[in-house]
């Protein structure tokens, strides 16, 4: 699978490119307006271009991965769609409802295979949780509780430019817009149901920037599973900050450090009959990005593999409706 990457910053360079290679593919081409990003991509073995149009005109690609700042996803997808190549786009799909509808219009054409890069549905531990839920190991699931926090200084950046995450126009929001979609999609992946009745409370507590630096997102699935997610940019990174709990009538699974870009983490099952706990093993050597790249390669060839852009657009519409309401109370 010969991939073309649109935007070679932090996530593309440090995670997806490695995942593509681990999955047996190649990063054949990269387009990025940043000379530093292009220099890095060239050193990593890719042909480099300063625009999407130039990269697509050169050809020789089987799939595209969009990893620009949020407000540029729609434009990249509109340009890329005409090439007819499968497109994997980073989350959040867009910076706001307007950008999302531009992407929805491309998806509605029905001639491009598209997916969202929700890498956490590809973490090996989460696969095991999903299977245990489906097999009834947890009994009736009552709640999914997530903590997914980090520290983002006003000048934080792992790419080559400024901190667009703290810029309302580029990001569209802060910690909740950036991080909560991961947990919402993961809950949907684990239960097989969308999270409905979304409500959010945002905070701007620590950092001096216009976007929220923390917030709570709550909801409920159609069958009644409660969902809560605390996401923030104001959480010191040495504190425990990545925790996933799924509680049911028979057992509870607690996973720490499985949410995130890396392989590994730790997972425990606690039995409701006597409170005893056991460590659950899983493949700790394969990153979610490698499995995501492998799955998208199969999706690009026509398999199902769980990618569903219509599902993701519906979820993002519900997200933006709740987020915009919460923003008015910030
Ligand atoms: N799935 C995850 O775990 C995860 C992790 C980090 C980031 N992300 C998402 O990935 C996207 C990128 O985030 P990042 O942290 O890598 O940002 P970044 O700033 O590090 O990288 C973005 C890159 O896009 C480039 N760019 C800007 N305009 C462009 C254009 N018109 N065409 C092509 N490239 C352009 C920039 O020069 C930069 O190199 C965001 O949507 C973010 O939410 C996802």
């Amino acid at each position: 699978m010969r991939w073309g990457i649109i935007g070679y910053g932090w996530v593309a360079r440090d995670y997806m490119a490695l995942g593509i290679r681990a999955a047996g593919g190649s990063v054949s081409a990269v387009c990025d307006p940043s000379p530093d990003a292009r220099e890095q991509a060239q050193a990593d073995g890719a042909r480099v271009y300063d625009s999407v149009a130039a990269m697509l005109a050169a050809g020789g690609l089987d799939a595209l991965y969009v990893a620009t700042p949020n407000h540029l996803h729609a434009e990249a997808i509109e340009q890329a769609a005409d090439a007819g190549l499968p497109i994997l786009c980073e989350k959040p799909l867009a910076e706001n409802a307007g950008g999302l509808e531009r992407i929805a219009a491309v998806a509605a054409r029905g001639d491009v295979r598209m997916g969202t890069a929700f890498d956490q549905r590809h973490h090996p531990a989460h696969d095991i949780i999903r299977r245990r839920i489906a097999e009834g190991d947890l009994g009736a699931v009552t709640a999914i509780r997530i903590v997914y926090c980090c520290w983002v200084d006003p000048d934080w950046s792992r790419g080559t430019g400024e901190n667009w995450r703290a810029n309302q126009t580029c990001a569209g929001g802060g910690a909740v817009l950036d991080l909560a979609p991961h947990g919402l999609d993961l809950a949907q992946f684990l239960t097989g149901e969308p999270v409905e009745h979304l409500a959010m409370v945002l905070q701007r507590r620590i950092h001096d920037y216009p976007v929220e630096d923390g917030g709570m997102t709550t909801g409920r699935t159609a069958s009644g599973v409660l969902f809560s997610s605390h996401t923030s940019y104001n959480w010191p990174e040495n504190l425990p900050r990545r925790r996933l709990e799924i509680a049911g009538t028979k057992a509870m699974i607690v996973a720490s450090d499985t949410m995130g870009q890396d392989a590994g983490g730790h997972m425990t099952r606690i039995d409701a009959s006597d409170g005893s706990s056991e460590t659950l093993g899983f493949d700790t050597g394969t990153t979610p990005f490698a499995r995501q790249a492998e799955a998208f390669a199969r999706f690009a060839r026509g398999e199902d593999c769980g990618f569903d852009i219509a599902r993701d657009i519906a979820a993002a519409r519900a997200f933006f409706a709740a987020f915009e309401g919460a923003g008015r109370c910030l």
Side-chain angles (χ1 to χ4, degrees):
M1 180 71 44
R2 300 166 302 172
W3 290 77
I5 295 184
I6 302 173
Y8 202 66
W10 178 47
V11 71
R13 179 196 64 215
D14 292 358
Y15 294 102
M16 189 60 181
L18 306 185
I20 287 170
R21 288 188 207 104
S26 65
V27 179
S28 299
V30 160
C31 67
D32 198 304
S34 156
D36 290 343
R38 291 201 300 275
E39 190 180 324
Q40 180 64 56
Q42 202 160 29
D44 293 343
R47 292 180 274 122
V48 293
Y49 304 91
D50 61 5
S51 71
V52 177
M55 182 174 82
L56 295 178
L61 299 173
D62 303 312
L64 299 171
Y65 169 61
V66 175
T68 62
N70 302 343
H71 68 308
L72 300 171
H73 290 180
E75 183 184 337
I77 286 174
E78 286 167 349
Q79 289 181 280
D82 290 333
L85 295 172
I87 304 169
L88 178 65
C89 181
E90 266 303 340
K91 51 47 63 184
L93 276 175
E95 81 285 20
N96 57 30
L100 180 67
E101 291 312 318
R102 288 171 61 187
I103 293 171
V106 174
R109 289 170 24 179
D111 57 353
V112 182
R113 289 180 80 70
M114 291 167 64
T116 313
F118 284 125
D119 54 287
Q120 297 184 2
R121 35 171 76 220
H122 303 283
H123 193 290
H126 301 160
D127 248 0
I128 290 174
I129 299 174
R130 182 184 200 221
R131 199 166 59 240
R132 282 179 176 259
I133 290 173
E135 289 168 353
D137 179 48
L138 276 63
V141 175
T142 52
I144 295 180
R145 305 192 300 206
I146 287 171
V147 175
Y148 192 47
C149 296
C150 61
W151 185 270
V152 175
D153 272 329
D155 58 358
W156 187 97
S157 174
R158 297 285 181 278
T160 53
E162 61 153 25
N163 182 14
W164 58 265
R165 280 178 172 76
N167 178 322
Q168 178 69 34
T169 305
C170 298
V176 171
L177 183 125
D178 185 17
L179 303 174
H182 275 301
L184 284 162
D185 180 70
L186 185 55
Q188 174 152 355
F189 172 71
L190 296 175
T191 62
E193 301 179 302
V195 180
E196 300 167 342
H197 312 289
L198 286 185
M200 295 172 192
V201 181
L202 310 183
Q203 71 179 162
R204 203 187 286 120
R205 174 80 173 129
I206 299 297
H207 296 302
D208 185 20
Y209 42 59
V211 297
E212 79 281 359
D213 63 10
M216 298 293 295
T217 304
T218 60
R220 194 183 65 212
T221 70
S223 76
V225 180
L226 290 177
F227 171 87
S228 71
S229 149
H230 171 205
T231 52
S232 82
Y233 282 170
N234 58 30
W235 199 263
E237 304 225 344
N238 286 327
L239 298 180
R241 61 190 183 88
R242 291 174 169 177
R243 186 175 168 94
L244 166 66
E245 300 178 345
I246 304 97
T249 52
K250 288 187 184 168
M252 173 175 179
I253 291 178
V254 178
S256 45
D257 296 327
T258 59
M259 296 187 69
Q261 292 83 21
D262 299 310
H266 188 264
M267 189 159 60
T268 306
R269 178 189 183 279
I270 303 159
D271 200 282
S273 64
D274 59 1
S276 60
S277 64
E278 63 172 312
T279 298
L280 299 181
F282 58 90
D283 170 5
T284 55
T286 307
T287 69
F289 281 85
R291 294 183 85 227
Q292 172 176 257
E294 187 272 332
F296 195 78
R298 287 191 286 116
F299 175 74
R301 295 190 185 103
E303 286 183 46
D304 176 0
C305 302
F307 293 95
D308 182 343
I309 196 69
R311 173 199 65 207
D312 299 344
I313 288 168
R317 282 186 180 127
F319 179 91
F320 281 124
F323 184 73
E324 285 164 15
R328 287 192 284 276
C329 304
L330 184 59

